[in-house]
Amino acid sequence: MNDMTPTAPTPTAKPKPRPRPQVMKLTEAAAERITELTKRADSEIVGLRVGIKNGGCAGQSYTVEYAHEVRPTDEVVEDRGVKILVDPKAVLFLLGTEMDYKADKMQAQFIFNNPNQVSACGCGESVQLTAAKADH
């Protein structure tokens, strides 16, 4: 007599998800400046929030502001001992970006070395960005 009882299928292992790439990196100068700003803030902050807004002569500009809380949708980047919170609407535009800080006699500012930047205006306040291409 044959046992016609179906055998249970052997469980197959799920493929491990690929690790998510870190959205942004910081230079040492940027990390030092963020640490200074965090210590000097009037109220407790958890880091800096980075995003993009529409406007300006090239179409978009970067935004940097104090973050008092981590929002559930924020992409959290911890690099060189500081925390950057990336607005979820900006992630694809900032993927692969290095955030730097430069100061000279005339100005001091965060600089975004962004591989997704297509062009920038002459004044340096506005950029044109394209979304990062997905890896296949």
Side-chain angles (χ1 to χ4, degrees):
M1 282 190 130
N2 284 344
D3 187 3
M4 300 298 274
T5 308
T7 58
T10 56
T12 57
K14 287 185 180 179
K16 291 182 181 178
R18 288 191 311 184
R20 290 175 62 165
Q22 183 170 312
V23 176
M24 295 177 61
K25 295 178 188 167
L26 302 172
T27 64
E28 191 60 41
E32 288 174 9
R33 181 62 177 157
I34 293 167
T35 300
E36 284 177 33
L37 290 171
T38 302
K39 289 178 182 175
R40 290 190 347 200
D42 294 337
S43 58
E44 188 174 332
I45 62 171
V46 295
L48 291 185
R49 181 166 284 109
V50 176
I52 295 172
K53 67 178 182 179
N54 291 332
C57 48
Q60 298 161 304
S61 59
Y62 298 104
T63 62
V64 179
E65 62 188 17
Y66 288 128
H68 298 282
E69 65 185 4
V70 177
R71 298 175 186 153
T73 56
D74 284 335
E75 181 77 24
V76 179
V77 175
E78 294 187 61
D79 193 18
R80 299 183 186 264
V82 297
K83 190 178 291 187
I84 298 290
L85 308 172
V86 180
D87 182 326
K89 292 176 275 187
V91 168
L92 284 179
F93 295 100
L94 294 175
L95 197 60
T97 297
E98 178 187 65
M99 185 175 174
D100 195 6
Y101 178 76
K102 297 206 187 238
D104 60 28
K105 291 180 183 179
M106 299 299 286
Q107 64 183 354
Q109 64 183 343
F110 286 108
I111 306 290
F112 294 87
N113 299 313
N114 187 340
N116 307 305
Q117 184 172 313
V118 177
S119 65
C121 66
C123 66
E125 295 293 319
S126 180
V127 295
Q128 182 180 4
L129 303 170
T130 184
K133 304 259 188 281
D135 264 349
H136 294 289

